[in-house]
Amino acid sequence: MNLAVISSHKCQLHDMDDEHPESPARMNAIQDQLLTSGLDMVVRHVEATAATRQDLYQAHHPDYVDGIFVKGQKEERVWLDDDTLMQQGSLEAALYAAGAARDAVNLVLNDEFNQAFCIVRPPGHHAEYDKAMGFCIFNNVAVAAYHAIREHGLERVAIIDFDVHHGNGTEHICAGDQRIRFYSSFQHPFYPFGGDKPSADNIHLAPLQAGASGREFREATKVWFENIDRFAPQLILISAGFDSHVEDELGQLRLVEADFRWMTENLKVLADKHSRGKIISILEGGYSLSALARSAVAHLKALMD
């Protein structure tokens, strides 16, 4: 059994409102598609555990983390930014989302699995070192990266983000840290209205115009693979945002399942070469439920092949 699917029902506790696109239904859609596709019988399901403050301090300013814990105890709803609401249950959901990413690192680097996919929410890649942003409270992939470095002694970790939105939070946290290479493709100009140029030499950006198809996506990102090959990462982390799919109304890119599979297959080749096949993928965006579910299954099939 080489792939773990890590999740928790606690991630369903975060519910901003019935009209908000980042809803608990996203996780249900993926789980249903795993059943329909037959993958549910092939993967190993693992229940996530909650991140601790110490886990979060590795990627975020302690004052920010402590402030979120205070806000999480309030009975009233608290807006962290214009898009991100905390209510009863949000803190617990965010802790289990970040905890799943940390758990995935432990399971994969301790050789219990070759790959892991974290079906979690809230997403994380917009959360910066000291602030929440864009549906995100804690930066799950950054928590995973720094856990791998600080607790497992890794010296080279690659993070690849193909969400329709630029992973500004991951860049903010990791910029200048030569132990990490961050690669982000995204629609530009578009929320969060950055990514014009990399903030450090370990950041690699592939901005795409609205309407870009898989052809433009592949052309813009294929240069990453040689760079990743030279970096020789000991672990590959993926911020798997499927809102770049043509059916997703939150963006205007035109990717399809085959494009996510193509990216995953190329990353798997590099993981097989440099990191003993070790890949961890963490769910980010994806708001058209059918497209999200189909894309996630295509991604998992490529990881397992």
Side-chain angles (χ1 to χ4, degrees):
M1 192 80 61
N2 69 348
L3 192 144
V5 171
I6 307 173
S7 190
S8 172
H9 69 281
K10 301 286 190 179
C11 292
Q12 304 277 25
L13 297 175
H14 177 60
D15 193 353
M16 289 186 274
D17 63 49
D18 291 342
E19 302 300 321
H20 201 287
E22 206 294 282
S23 72
R26 300 176 61 234
M27 292 177 61
N28 296 335
I30 296 174
Q31 297 284 9
D32 289 347
Q33 192 68 25
L34 287 177
L35 282 167
T36 302
S37 68
L39 281 186
D40 188 70
M41 301 296 294
V42 189
V43 301
R44 171 81 174 274
H45 291 275
V46 177
E47 182 71 18
T49 60
T52 67
R53 294 196 196 211
Q54 292 300 322
D55 294 325
L56 301 170
Y57 291 162
Q58 295 185 98
H60 293 287
H61 194 291
D63 290 347
Y64 169 69
V65 173
D66 294 345
I68 291 294
F69 271 78
V70 171
K71 293 179 176 72
Q73 306 303 323
K74 295 180 181 294
E75 292 186 7
E76 67 270 21
R77 296 165 19 132
V78 178
W79 285 97
L80 302 178
D81 78 339
D82 291 343
D83 304 300
T84 314
L85 174 68
M86 284 190 74
Q87 43 76 34
Q88 290 292 312
S90 294
L91 174 60
E92 193 167 11
L95 292 175
Y96 275 85
R102 178 215 51 210
D103 292 345
V105 170
N106 290 336
L107 290 169
V108 167
L109 294 184
N110 289 335
D111 293 327
E112 295 183 52
F113 296 93
N114 287 334
Q115 299 100 22
F117 180 52
C118 300
I119 305 177
V120 294
R121 52 178 298 280
H125 72 153
H126 292 311
E128 297 189 348
Y129 178 62
D130 55 1
K131 72 176 181 180
M133 187 174 175
F135 309 168
C136 303
I137 299 175
F138 300 128
N139 194 306
N140 306 319
V141 76
V143 168
Y146 281 105
H147 186 74
I149 289 167
R150 292 170 178 164
E151 302 301 325
H152 290 269
L154 267 59
E155 298 175 343
R156 297 179 307 281
V157 176
I159 304 174
I160 294 85
D161 185 333
F162 48 71
D163 194 278
V164 77
H165 305 101
H166 172 45
N168 63 291
T170 311
E171 177 172 359
H172 186 257
I173 293 168
C174 300
D177 189 334
Q178 298 303 321
R179 300 169 297 182
I180 297 174
R181 294 274 178 95
F182 177 58
Y183 305 81
S184 179
S185 65
F186 50 93
Q187 182 179 325
H188 182 76
F190 198 44
Y191 183 89
F193 308 108
D196 299 275
K197 59 181 181 180
S199 57
D201 61 2
N202 66 320
I203 307 297
H204 302 266
L205 306 178
L208 301 167
Q209 292 184 349
S213 68
R215 181 176 64 82
E216 289 89 356
F217 168 71
R218 297 183 191 208
E219 187 66 28
T221 58
K222 69 180 183 181
V223 297
W224 290 350
F225 304 133
E226 183 177 346
N227 188 280
I228 296 170
D229 191 24
R230 291 196 301 270
F231 182 55
Q234 297 161 295
L235 177 66
I236 291 178
L237 300 174
I238 301 174
S239 274
F242 300 109
D243 44 3
S244 44
H245 194 283
V246 63
E247 295 176 21
D248 201 299
E249 296 182 354
L250 262 68
Q252 292 85 41
L253 296 185
R254 301 182 59 81
L255 305 193
V256 296
E257 294 93 312
D259 298 311
F260 302 122
R261 184 177 183 103
W262 171 83
M263 173 59 73
T264 308
E265 288 172 342
N266 279 281
L267 294 175
K268 192 168 186 302
V269 169
L270 291 165
D272 288 343
K273 180 177 180 180
H274 295 294
S275 62
R276 299 184 295 129
K278 305 298 186 183
I279 300 180
I280 294 167
S281 179
I282 302 166
L283 181 65
E284 298 286 359
Y287 306 100
S288 169
L289 297 183
S290 176
L292 166 65
R294 299 191 323 265
S295 299
V297 165
H299 175 57
L300 287 180
K301 286 182 176 178
L303 283 178
M304 297 176 69
D305 281 350

